[in-house]
Amino acid sequence: MALWQAFMIGILGYFGVNRTPWFFGQSGGFNGIGQPIVACTIMGVMFGKVPEGLAVGVALQAMYLGVIQPGGALPSDRGFATFIGGSLAIASGTGVEGAIALAVPLGLMGVALFQLCMTFNSYFPHLGDKAAAKGDCNGIARAQYLAQVPTFLIYVTIYTMANYLGVSFVEGMISMLPAQIIKALSIMGKILPAIGFAMLLQYIVVRGKEWMIGFFIMGFVLIIGTSFNIVSLTMFGIGVAILFVVARYGNELKGGLGNKTTTTANNGGDDYDE
């Protein structure tokens, strides 16, 4: 790919790992662009391969669907898998298989880089503490923004180099890992989607919403037994969700603010606050 394309992916990747106020903070960054399905679709537009980008994004999203970071412990880096493995797979045309093959070992390398970046950034909270002790609000904000300098330089540089130099550069990085680890990670990568869905189903059960498993079964049957793809299933799911909301909350929706106002007047505002 061209250098400008690699650099744009580097910038996109930086936004994907950021949790700072710019670009809507964590909602627009880590939880927005940082999602594989969002990032790969954007990169698909960049390369003029939207269907390929969407397919790669869905596959990588399934891998990281149930991955969490308890206490900041990162089991596998989603950014490396997406902004190096996913982007190279889309650009080269190797598709889903190529993306997964690169994503699994790159995820482990990304964890090492993440820890390095956090080590650099550990200086800035102390800088903010010193400013707080002096009552310097601007100093506190400055410390937060300065912490983004090493993050920006590290991620943009690595992402840009990996995408511009191509698969040979990435393979050189991966070759530093022992073959046994690569094989173990490959197996884990195939298991991750199942774990992700299991964690989501467990969350439903814990909340006492076991009946929602019916929606999961319906979606599973549609994917396995029909020609539905992930896009058509998503649109079908949106339609079912709309019907469900209207059927269950239709009266409340029709009442609108008028009913709320009446209830508030009668109950001293308690229902309005609730």
Side-chain angles (χ1 to χ4, degrees):
M1 66 181 72
L3 180 58
W4 72 268
Q5 290 174 317
F7 180 70
M8 288 300 296
I9 292 174
I11 297 294
L12 197 67
Y14 162 71
F15 281 126
V17 301
N18 97 79
R19 297 167 176 80
T20 54
W22 47 73
F23 211 82
F24 307 106
Q26 185 163 315
S27 298
F30 183 76
N31 290 326
I33 288 180
Q35 298 291 343
I37 192 170
V38 176
C40 289
T41 301
I42 295 174
M43 291 187 290
V45 173
M46 184 184 302
F47 295 117
K49 300 179 179 180
V50 177
E52 292 88 341
L54 187 58
V56 169
V58 168
L60 295 179
Q61 188 74 56
M63 289 179 60
Y64 290 92
L65 196 60
V67 175
I68 59 174
Q69 301 179 43
L74 192 68
S76 180
D77 187 73
R78 189 178 65 188
F80 259 51
T82 302
F83 297 104
I84 298 180
S87 58
L88 289 176
I90 297 169
S92 63
T94 54
V96 173
E97 294 295 328
I100 293 178
L102 289 173
V104 174
L106 283 171
L108 180 62
M109 296 194 67
V111 172
L113 183 68
F114 176 79
Q115 299 300 337
L116 175 65
C117 189
M118 292 301 101
T119 300
F120 280 119
N121 285 348
S122 63
Y123 165 76
F124 297 100
H126 298 294
L127 192 65
D129 289 340
K130 293 178 181 178
K134 300 176 182 177
D136 182 7
C137 295
N138 292 330
I140 297 172
R142 191 181 308 115
Q144 303 301 315
Y145 288 113
L146 286 175
Q148 289 303 303
V149 174
T151 304
F152 179 88
L153 293 176
I154 291 172
Y155 279 97
V156 172
T157 301
I158 294 294
Y159 287 157
T160 301
M161 288 179 59
N163 282 284
Y164 181 64
L165 298 177
V167 177
S168 58
F169 176 78
V170 175
E171 289 177 343
M173 292 195 304
I174 295 175
S175 64
M176 294 186 294
L177 297 174
Q180 293 85 350
I181 294 180
I182 297 295
K183 184 177 181 180
L185 288 172
S186 179
I187 296 172
M188 290 171 58
K190 295 176 181 178
I191 296 175
L192 278 176
I195 295 175
F197 283 111
M199 292 178 67
L200 292 176
L201 288 174
Q202 183 185 31
Y203 174 72
I204 291 174
V205 173
V206 169
R207 291 188 61 198
K209 304 287 186 179
E210 293 87 349
W211 57 269
M212 286 188 176
I213 296 177
F215 290 124
F216 175 81
I217 295 173
M218 291 166 57
F220 179 81
V221 171
L222 285 173
I223 282 289
I224 297 299
T226 69
S227 59
F228 271 41
N229 56 33
I230 192 67
V231 177
S232 56
L233 179 63
T234 300
M235 299 305 296
F236 181 83
I238 292 173
V240 172
I242 292 173
L243 292 176
F244 173 79
V245 170
V246 172
R248 184 163 184 176
Y249 304 104
N251 293 331
E252 289 86 342
L253 293 173
K254 289 179 182 178
L257 186 59
N259 284 351
K260 285 291 184 181
T261 304
T262 303
T263 306
T264 302
N266 293 335
N267 296 310
D270 292 340
D271 289 347
Y272 180 80
D273 292 337
E274 182 180 355

